[in-house]
Amino acid sequence: MTVPLPSGTGDAARAVLGALGELRRVLEEVTLPLDIEDAAMSRADRQEVLDQLSDYVIPRYEQLEAPLLAVVGGSTGAGKSTLVNALLREHVTSASAIRPTTRRPLLVHHPDDAAWFADDRIFPGLARLTVAPGSPPTPAVTEDGGVHRELELRASPALPRGLALLDAPDIDSVVTENRQLANQLLAAADLWVFVTTAARYGDAIPWALLTEAADRRIVVAVVLDRVPHGVSAEVRQDLAARLDEEGLGRAPLFVISETTMGEDGLLPADDVAALQGWLHGIAADAGSRASVARQTLGGAVDAALARASLVAEGAQHQTQTLVRLAGHVDEAYAQAHHRIMSATADGAMLRGEVLARWQEFVGTGDFFRSVEAQVGRVRDRIGNFFRGRPAPTEQVEVAIETGLQTLLVAEAERAAAEVDHLWRREPGARGVLAAATAALPSEERLVDDAAAEVRGWQDDLLGMVRREGADKRLTARMLSFGVNGLGIALMVVMFASTAGLTGAEIAIAGGTAVVAQKLLEAVFGDDAVRKMAAAARQDLHARAGALLAEQADTYRHALSELGIDAGATERIGGAITAVRAARRAEAGL
């Protein structure tokens, strides 16, 4: 439902202004950094709403009594500058066959209205260039051929008070900046004087803008320029029918025939008299001016709110993509952590070098074959073993450390490869992927970090064995086996089982775990062994998680650096609702 705009004074109007200002603030904070499918359109929508609010809606709402701004716009070569000169009866803007001609927008106003345009009440992003009345047109081309980001101001008594004309760049200019500025200026106008030609009035770009004008209820006058003699009635009738189809049937249509310039280089005064009279008639009556301003302003607010809703959708899509990318990271590293803990509980670590060094440590292969055949006599074997001199433990510790380190590095690299694969399949994620990949730890640092975590885990495990042994008041014979030897046995038990399983349930890798289990039980007891194995596993679980989390955090940090606010959609929606509610209250609905 469209809510009419009243006079714009009083507490109700201030509430609307406050809501509009809050909507602008919320949109200014929105970021749409991911190049997903609708990102470019959402960014354009956001900028257009901000421009509309700052250039027109808020300043016009604050001052409905300000002069009307009529933007003269249209296609390349339609004769906009020539028309402005003819309406003012002086050369204030350059008209040339070189396209595009208008690069710096020109705003012409009555001398008594200068204060309305001297500050940044409208077009705050454009610098002001004031030109003395009667001065020739200023050069409008920058050194690089681009568009001036400034607004030329010129006073002319030919205009009535309460009306200003703005000569805008071409809407279909070959210069991108010109097109963008033309659209921005048209969006900030109270009324449009839309200029086209008999040869080009059917072009798609003009009609797209005219359709937008109809949707926004903008007051529009259409000027059909350079109409060949003899076809005026036919062309006028066709254009009028098209305007009616687009909802602009009430728009006044002015026809200017092909003609020769007068001695003063201007179009004959009679050719523009009808348009001039229409403009002066609107400006002469305060009620007409206010009616035009309210009609255009109401449509502009409705259009801004509708487009802000599209920005909210775009922000939601950004958040959804962000959540999906973060989910890929969480899943990849959670799976890596699961594989690490599985590999350290299913006997996989008791193969190869670790198994060989452990066998060397406790005895020969014949010894293990005997253990496998006679598990019930393990205690005797261990007793015999204690009477001997244990072999050095360093080789077993190194083998375990190397095996664990290799496992941690491999799974971390596998998780990174998985994230890389998944993110490359996500639209718009390649930029953030490049940033995250560049920040990942180097391979050398990853290896060093993994080694440090394994050594820390081994040290903590040995400390636990030492504390438990002190509590048990170990005999000299038990102590002769050494804390390191007992620690290695505990590692073997942990690698072969979860939750301290005992006996034949962990008889894997040729009886390796059975020997370690029975050895530890003989020293500490069943319950203590189960608790120590569980604690060692928990510590390794945490350390592996910490290593993987550091790498995963690199991806998460890259995502957080995007600045996507998950609450943006809700805040935009809330601001839109607040504007609508304030307008209804102001209108007494």
Side-chain angles (χ1 to χ4, degrees):
M1 177 179 65
T2 300
V3 179
L5 293 181
S7 61
T9 59
D11 292 341
R14 283 191 288 272
V16 176
L17 276 171
L20 289 169
E22 177 63 14
L23 175 61
R24 179 173 60 182
R25 186 193 67 78
V26 169
L27 290 174
E28 286 173 342
E29 295 177 352
V30 172
T31 58
L32 305 162
L34 289 171
D35 290 324
I36 56 180
E37 184 176 359
D38 63 349
M41 184 63 69
S42 297
R43 292 167 191 152
D45 287 336
R46 170 183 171 276
Q47 191 58 52
E48 287 188 23
V49 176
L50 287 173
D51 288 340
Q52 181 104 77
L53 291 173
S54 297
D55 293 344
Y56 179 68
V57 171
I58 291 177
R60 173 53 76 189
Y61 212 109
E62 289 174 333
Q63 298 173 316
L64 277 171
E65 72 278 13
L68 293 179
L69 180 60
V71 172
V72 181
S75 304
T76 300
K80 301 182 297 297
S81 298
T82 300
L83 180 63
V84 171
N85 289 338
L87 290 171
L88 300 175
R89 308 314 301 167
E90 65 173 312
H91 293 278
V92 296
T93 180
S94 299
S96 170
I98 300 175
R99 306 299 174 203
T101 301
T102 303
R103 294 177 186 259
R104 175 193 287 122
L106 165 67
L107 190 151
V108 186
H109 56 79
H110 187 276
D112 293 342
D113 288 338
W116 290 107
F117 304 103
D119 58 18
D120 61 355
R121 182 184 68 87
I122 61 171
F123 307 122
L126 299 178
R128 269 41 176 183
L129 174 66
T130 302
V131 179
S135 300
T138 60
V141 181
T142 61
E143 292 182 1
D144 61 359
V147 64
H148 284 281
R149 293 299 299 179
E150 59 188 6
L151 180 65
E152 180 181 336
L153 300 176
R154 182 187 291 262
S156 172
L159 279 180
R161 291 192 63 181
L163 177 69
L165 286 182
L166 197 156
D167 184 19
D170 303 327
I171 60 173
D172 55 357
S173 174
V174 295
V175 181
T176 301
E177 289 178 288
N178 274 355
R179 294 196 306 274
Q180 294 172 343
L181 183 56
N183 289 329
Q184 181 181 348
L185 297 176
L186 285 168
D190 292 300
L191 61 93
W192 290 4
V193 177
F194 200 84
V195 186
T196 187
T197 66
R200 301 195 59 186
Y201 71 85
D203 290 355
I205 294 179
W207 280 107
L209 285 173
L210 287 171
T211 300
E212 180 182 346
D215 293 340
R216 291 171 45 194
R217 306 187 308 282
I218 296 173
V219 177
V220 179
V222 179
V223 178
L224 184 60
D225 196 13
R226 298 175 182 170
V227 179
H229 294 285
V231 299
S232 176
E234 179 182 352
V235 173
R236 180 190 180 97
Q237 182 178 4
D238 182 62
L239 178 55
R242 294 194 181 197
L243 289 171
D244 188 56
E245 291 174 0
E246 296 297 332
L248 292 169
R250 299 178 62 183
L253 175 57
F254 303 95
V255 178
I256 300 176
S257 301
E258 280 187 332
T259 186
T260 302
M261 298 290 184
E263 293 183 359
D264 56 3
L266 301 174
L267 287 172
D270 290 345
D271 287 5
V272 297
L275 173 61
Q276 192 173 52
W278 180 76
L279 290 170
H280 284 228
I282 292 176
D285 181 67
S288 295
R289 292 200 307 270
S291 177
V292 169
R294 291 192 187 103
Q295 176 178 325
T296 301
L297 182 53
V301 173
D302 290 338
L305 296 182
R307 188 150 287 182
S309 296
L310 297 179
V311 179
E313 291 181 11
Q316 183 177 28
H317 296 160
Q318 293 273 323
T319 299
Q320 290 170 344
T321 301
L322 180 75
V323 170
R324 194 162 55 248
L325 293 175
H328 291 327
V329 175
D330 293 343
E331 178 65 18
Y333 282 91
Q335 289 295 325
H337 193 253
H338 175 74
R339 289 191 296 269
I340 289 172
M341 300 318 297
S342 296
T344 55
D346 61 5
M349 288 295 299
L350 299 180
R351 302 188 182 100
E353 187 70 13
V354 173
L355 179 59
R357 299 288 78 79
W358 169 252
Q359 289 175 336
E360 291 176 0
F361 176 55
V362 298
T364 66
D366 291 337
F367 169 76
F368 275 99
R369 285 191 291 273
S370 175
V371 170
E372 293 172 11
Q374 303 179 52
V375 171
R377 298 169 57 191
V378 168
R379 287 184 184 274
D380 293 337
R381 288 287 187 176
I382 293 174
N384 294 333
F385 175 77
F386 282 162
R387 286 189 287 272
R389 181 188 177 97
T393 60
E394 287 81 358
Q395 290 184 338
V396 189
E397 292 176 342
V398 170
I400 292 174
E401 178 182 335
T402 302
L404 272 178
Q405 175 184 322
T406 301
L407 175 64
L408 293 177
V409 171
E411 290 300 341
E413 290 178 340
R414 180 176 173 181
E418 182 69 11
V419 172
D420 186 278
H421 172 70
L422 293 171
W423 278 22
R424 287 183 185 277
R425 298 172 60 185
E426 290 282 355
R430 295 202 173 189
V432 67
L433 174 60
T437 301
L440 282 174
S442 66
E443 184 177 356
E444 290 182 358
R445 181 186 162 189
L446 178 59
V447 170
D448 291 342
D449 290 347
E453 292 293 351
V454 174
R455 285 194 296 270
W457 172 72
Q458 289 177 320
D459 290 345
D460 287 350
L461 184 145
L462 293 176
M464 179 172 57
V465 170
R466 188 176 294 108
R467 290 190 299 274
E468 187 69 22
D471 292 341
K472 297 295 184 182
R473 302 178 182 275
L474 293 180
T475 65
R477 179 175 295 176
M478 292 177 179
L479 289 175
S480 70
F481 186 75
V483 171
N484 285 26
L486 294 173
I488 291 171
L490 181 58
M491 294 178 201
V492 170
V493 168
M494 196 205 74
F495 290 154
S497 63
T498 57
L501 298 178
T502 61
E505 294 175 306
I506 59 168
I508 64 171
T512 298
V514 175
V515 173
Q517 184 80 28
K518 295 304 180 181
L519 171 62
L520 292 171
E521 289 176 355
V523 176
F524 301 109
D526 295 356
D527 185 59
V529 172
R530 282 193 294 270
K531 290 180 178 179
M532 286 193 295
R537 167 159 291 278
Q538 185 176 3
D539 187 29
L540 182 59
H541 186 284
R543 289 180 176 277
L547 179 73
L548 295 173
E550 181 180 0
Q551 184 163 304
D553 283 345
T554 303
Y555 293 99
R556 298 190 185 101
H557 179 72
L559 292 175
S560 68
E561 285 292 296
L562 295 174
I564 296 175
D565 182 1
T569 298
E570 184 177 352
R571 273 194 293 278
I572 296 172
I576 292 172
T577 300
V579 172
R580 288 175 174 157
R583 291 179 69 199
R584 285 194 295 270
E586 184 186 28
L589 299 179

